[in-house]
Amino acid sequence: MRLLTWIKEAIKSPRELSTIFPSSKHLAWRIAQQVDAESDNRIAELGAGDGALTGPLVEQLNEGSKLYLLEQSRSFCEKLREDYLDHPKRDQIHILQEDASRLDELVEREGLGA
């Protein structure tokens, strides 16, 4: 189902996707394993897309961590909201329909600076 969602978005808005293929599960898990699961992290996934990396990142969250998903596409944001609506860690997951180039504004607005 993820691949179908990704293909639809690629056809609808090809210039907004930053990749020509969705990330593999293996790659996503390898990236997520780089997160220090022992720390209270604030993680921003830029261009969360169809959530290929999101799932493994959510698994790395401990009680004090927060995950900010930035995605321009309304349909991808809606899909992510559906996917995590009833998730046990839903209060730690913040889905924002934002352009990643505005990350500095998000950091300031959300009080995420050091």
Side-chain angles (χ1 to χ4, degrees):
M1 187 61 148
R2 251 189 37 226
L3 181 59
L4 182 59
T5 303
W6 188 90
I7 291 170
K8 285 179 183 177
E9 192 63 26
I11 292 169
K12 186 174 85 175
S13 306
R15 291 183 178 191
E16 290 184 15
L17 293 178
S18 61
T19 180
I20 58 171
F21 295 105
S23 300
S24 72
K25 288 181 183 182
H26 177 72
L27 174 63
W29 281 105
R30 296 277 301 199
I31 292 170
Q33 288 173 342
Q34 302 304 308
V35 174
D36 181 2
E38 302 299 317
S39 297
D40 292 346
N41 293 302
R42 292 173 289 189
I43 303 162
E45 182 181 356
L46 308 180
D50 66 350
L53 177 57
T54 306
L57 286 173
V58 168
E59 294 303 315
Q60 292 292 99
L61 296 176
N62 66 31
E63 282 187 30
S65 296
K66 293 186 187 257
L67 176 60
Y68 295 86
L69 306 175
L70 279 71
E71 175 55 55
Q72 286 187 146
S73 164
R74 175 178 287 140
S75 60
F76 278 154
C77 284
E78 289 171 1
K79 176 76 170 93
L80 290 166
R81 287 184 183 107
E82 285 175 24
D83 290 349
Y84 293 98
L85 179 66
D86 295 323
H87 195 280
K89 296 181 180 179
R90 70 181 167 270
D91 293 337
Q92 295 173 260
I93 304 166
H94 305 275
I95 302 165
L96 306 165
Q97 187 176 349
E98 297 273 354
D99 186 317
S101 68
R102 299 178 58 182
L103 181 60
D104 56 341
E105 294 172 30
L106 170 69
V107 168
E108 186 175 325
R109 184 179 73 226
E110 299 288 330
L112 301 174

